[in-house]
């Protein structure tokens, strides 16, 4: 499980960003780094732009998982005798039966071969931009720009070294992708199989002793970095809702702010309604907005609930 969690950690992190963006309602922008813990398990540090409740981050983390729909690879089919390449069939064959191995596309997949999840440790903290604390955290994240995974995967004790050896041995025979040569050990022909492949000898980064399965991307930067502020995102969401309402015939005319004059309310002002009336009016207004938006969504058709959409 530790080996497979490390191999699929990058995909799990990508799924987490997708889920967080769906919940937040905008393309959350981030700068993140991957750091191994003492037990060599991957650990993510990220700086997010914007304000997201801590409870939301914890709930999204707890609800995020990544299913690996690969052929089963719990037990090796070939240990002593390995599959060989047949130049006539242009495929790997069994050394005894001389039959071609099952291809990746034809391999049976009835359930996920692995399900990756985050651990229980989730810590989030709000930081103001431009503060001394912000500078300290930025320095902590950016120091990894000049470091590789191999520089920080250290084993100081004999117990850690034995654990790293066991993990490296497991990673040596764990498939890292659908094109990994390790699939030949499990009787499956990987995608793009060719004569240059050697069963159990994939050159991918996940199998290196120096990285112990940790992802090759050390520093992760949002591909959707837009430079927008929270006010910009709020304006985008408002524009989207107005367009959705207009599509079903609900017009929301924009008020001209130049015609309004704002004054601070003074205590005891007789023109100000009671606070209870203001709260009830605000609730009724939002209930109306919600009903109108639900009507627009129903008119637009069923929502896209795909878990793989970016």
């Amino acid at each position: 499980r530790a080996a497979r969690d490390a191999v699929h950690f990058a995909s799990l992190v990508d799924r987490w960003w997708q889920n967080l963006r769906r919940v937040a309602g905008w393309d959350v922008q981030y700068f993140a780094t991957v750091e191994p813990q003492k037990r060599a398990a991957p650990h993510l540090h990220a700086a997010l732009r914007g304000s997201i409740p801590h409870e939301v981050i914890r709930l999204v983390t707890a609800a995020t998982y990544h299913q690996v729909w690969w052929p089963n690879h719990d037990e090796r089919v070939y240990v002593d005798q390995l599959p060989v390449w047949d130049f006539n069939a242009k495929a790997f064959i069994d050394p005894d039966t001389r039959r071609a191995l099952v291809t990746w596309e034809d391999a049976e997949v009835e359930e996920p071969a692995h399900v990756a999840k985050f651990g229980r440790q989730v810590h989030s903290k709000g930081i103001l931009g431009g503060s001394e604390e912000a500078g300290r955290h930025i320095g902590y994240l950016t120091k990894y720009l000049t470091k590789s995974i191999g520089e920080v995967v250290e084993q100081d004790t004999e117990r850690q070294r034995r654990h790293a050896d066991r993990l490296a041995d497991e990673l040596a025979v764990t498939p890292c992708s659908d094109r990994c040569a390790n699939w030949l050990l499990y009787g499956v022909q990987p995608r793009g199989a060719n004569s240059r492949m050697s069963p159990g000898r994939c050159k991918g980064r996940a199998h290196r002793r120096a990285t112990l399965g940790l992802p090759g991307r050390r520093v992760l930067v949002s591909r959707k970095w837009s430079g927008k502020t929270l006010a910009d995102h709020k304006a985008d969401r408002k524009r989207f809702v107005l367009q959705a309402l207009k599509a079903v015939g609900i017009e929301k005319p924009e008020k001209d702010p130049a015609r309004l004059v704002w004054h601070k309310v003074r205590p005891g002002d007789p023109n100000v309604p009671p606070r209870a009336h203001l709260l009830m009016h605000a609730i009724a207004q939002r209930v109306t907005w919600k009903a109108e938006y639900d009507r627009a969504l129903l008119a637009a058709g069923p929502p896209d609930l795909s878990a793989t959409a970016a």
Side-chain angles (χ1 to χ4, degrees):
R1 171 168 290 278
R4 296 182 184 183
D5 282 344
V7 168
H8 301 289
F9 181 71
S11 298
L12 177 65
V13 171
D14 288 342
R15 182 57 53 86
W16 188 81
W17 290 120
Q18 292 176 9
N19 291 343
L20 184 65
R21 284 167 171 166
R22 288 191 176 102
V23 173
W26 75 85
D27 289 336
V28 179
Q29 304 165 32
Y30 61 87
F31 182 94
T33 62
V34 178
E35 178 187 20
Q37 296 176 325
K38 289 185 177 181
R39 58 190 176 94
H43 192 71
L44 183 73
H45 298 269
L48 315 180
R49 291 193 68 186
S51 179
I52 300 177
H54 302 299
E55 183 63 18
V56 170
I57 293 179
R58 286 191 288 268
L59 290 174
V60 170
T61 304
T64 297
Y65 61 92
H66 172 65
Q67 292 182 331
V68 183
W69 288 91
W70 283 1
N72 185 280
H73 50 285
D74 291 337
E75 297 183 7
R76 291 177 56 178
V77 177
Y78 299 98
V79 180
D80 298 325
Q81 286 186 308
L82 300 178
V84 295
W85 178 260
D86 188 316
F87 285 92
N88 294 325
K90 295 184 178 181
F92 279 92
I93 62 175
D94 185 282
D96 295 327
T97 64
R98 312 301 294 181
R99 293 181 179 177
L101 303 184
V102 63
T103 63
W104 172 272
E105 290 77 7
D106 295 334
E108 292 186 4
V109 180
E110 298 181 353
E111 59 183 14
H114 181 66
V115 178
K117 298 180 179 180
F118 288 106
R120 297 180 179 179
Q121 182 180 357
V122 181
H123 176 71
S124 58
K125 187 177 184 180
I127 301 174
L128 295 177
S131 64
E132 180 180 351
E133 187 177 17
R136 183 169 63 253
H137 284 81
I138 290 173
Y140 177 80
L141 292 174
T142 54
K143 73 177 182 180
Y144 292 107
L145 288 170
T146 58
K147 285 189 175 183
S148 64
I149 288 288
E151 292 183 69
V152 291
V153 181
E154 300 175 353
Q155 295 85 43
D156 300 325
T157 66
E158 183 62 27
R159 182 180 180 183
Q160 289 177 339
R161 284 189 286 270
R162 289 198 304 268
H163 171 71
D165 291 339
R166 292 195 301 270
L167 184 56
D169 291 341
E170 184 65 30
L171 286 166
V173 295
T174 299
C176 64
S177 69
D178 54 356
R179 296 180 177 272
C180 180
N182 284 350
W183 281 113
L184 297 171
L185 301 176
Y186 302 92
V188 177
Q189 200 153 202
R191 285 179 176 170
N194 56 72
S195 60
R196 297 186 299 275
M197 283 186 172
S198 180
R201 294 183 178 273
C202 178
K203 297 182 180 179
R205 293 180 177 179
H207 310 292
R208 298 177 185 177
R209 179 61 172 76
T211 59
L212 293 178
L214 293 173
R217 290 181 298 165
R218 186 65 203 275
V219 176
L220 312 175
V221 182
S222 173
R223 296 187 182 95
K224 297 185 177 181
W225 191 273
S226 64
K228 291 184 178 180
T229 63
L230 292 181
D232 296 332
H233 285 297
K234 183 177 180 181
D236 289 343
R237 293 197 300 272
K238 179 180 179 180
R239 190 180 308 109
F240 173 82
V241 172
L242 291 177
Q243 290 175 352
L245 295 177
K246 186 176 181 180
V248 296
I250 301 177
E251 294 284 349
K252 292 289 184 178
E254 288 284 348
K255 297 181 179 179
D256 185 6
R259 300 176 56 187
L260 302 177
V261 178
W262 296 90
H263 297 282
K264 289 186 177 181
V265 177
R266 296 180 179 180
D269 191 331
N271 297 319
V272 178
R275 185 173 181 81
H277 292 188
L278 294 175
L279 289 174
M280 294 303 298
H281 174 74
I283 292 174
Q285 189 179 48
R286 279 158 178 75
V287 169
T288 302
W289 291 347
K290 183 66 167 56
E292 292 175 344
Y293 186 58
D294 288 342
R295 174 184 166 189
L297 292 179
L298 291 174
D304 180 14
L305 301 179
S306 171
T308 58

